[in-house]
């Protein structure tokens, strides 16, 4: 099972992003069931915040962003945090006292993943997850290569 990170979803809808083709191909492959992919509410909230904010060149209107979230929710299972996720976050923060500010959000994703038994995350920010035991982080292209998926962007599988 693979958690799809916010940046992959943002690039999948942002046609101006250099990562668009690869991200779109990955999301489409996951939608087809080539990869067992899931989301958590945090990723959907971050997606909405990014695509409607000033971090993208052409922000989406809130109504359009909500429609994209609705589509994602209909395509992928959205798993809620387990009751022990906050305890796992506490353990992570205790082991890594250097986690501060906005980095707590990646720590919270890691805690949710551990709590839900999700071993991998598809993200372009692989280094942000390197500190967490039992979590594998890989970019979409790396997952295509590792799984031998033939529908990656280098083979013309853009959706």
């Amino acid at each position: 099972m693979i958690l799809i990170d916010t940046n992959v979803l943002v690039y999948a809808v942002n046609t101006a992003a250099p990562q668009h083709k690869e991200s779109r191909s990955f999301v489409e492959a996951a939608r087809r069931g080539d990869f067992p992919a899931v989301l958590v509410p945090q990723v959907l909230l971050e997606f909405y915040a990014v695509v409607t904010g000033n971090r993208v060149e052409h922000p989406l209107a809130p109504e359009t962003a909500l429609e994209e979230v609705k589509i994602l929710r209909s395509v992928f299972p959205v798993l809620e945090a387990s009751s022990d996720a906050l305890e796992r976050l506490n353990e992570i923060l205790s082991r890594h006292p250097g986690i501060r500010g906005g980095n707590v959000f990646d720590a919270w994703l890691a805690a949710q993943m551990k709590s839900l038994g999700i071993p991998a995350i598809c993200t372009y920010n692989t280094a942000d997850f390197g500190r967490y035991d039992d979590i594998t982080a890989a970019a979409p292209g790396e997952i295509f290569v590792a799984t031998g998926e033939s529908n990656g962007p280098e083979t013309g599988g853009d959706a």
Side-chain angles (χ1 to χ4, degrees), residues 60-141:
L60 298 179
E63 301 80 20
T64 304
L66 283 173
E67 187 59 33
E68 291 290 336
V69 168
K70 183 179 177 183
I71 292 167
L72 291 167
R73 289 179 60 210
S74 72
V75 170
F76 298 108
V78 179
L79 306 180
E80 296 287 338
S82 297
S83 59
D84 70 334
L86 285 173
E87 183 56 37
R88 295 205 182 230
L89 177 62
N90 185 51
E91 292 168 8
I92 288 171
L93 295 176
S94 295
R95 267 184 294 182
H96 305 283
I99 296 175
R100 301 175 190 279
N103 291 332
V104 73
F105 296 110
D106 285 341
W108 176 232
L109 275 182
Q112 291 174 84
M113 290 174 66
K114 289 174 180 255
S115 177
L116 293 165
I118 302 169
I121 184 166
C122 180
T123 182
Y124 287 97
N125 299 332
T126 56
D128 294 348
F129 292 90
R131 70 179 87 191
Y132 304 118
D133 298 334
D134 304 326
I135 290 179
T136 301

Side-chain angles (χ1 to χ4, degrees), residues 33-49:
D34 297 352
F35 312 108
V38 298
L39 301 172
V40 293
Q42 176 185 342
V43 168
L44 294 171
L45 291 170
E46 289 176 356
F47 171 83
Y48 180 88

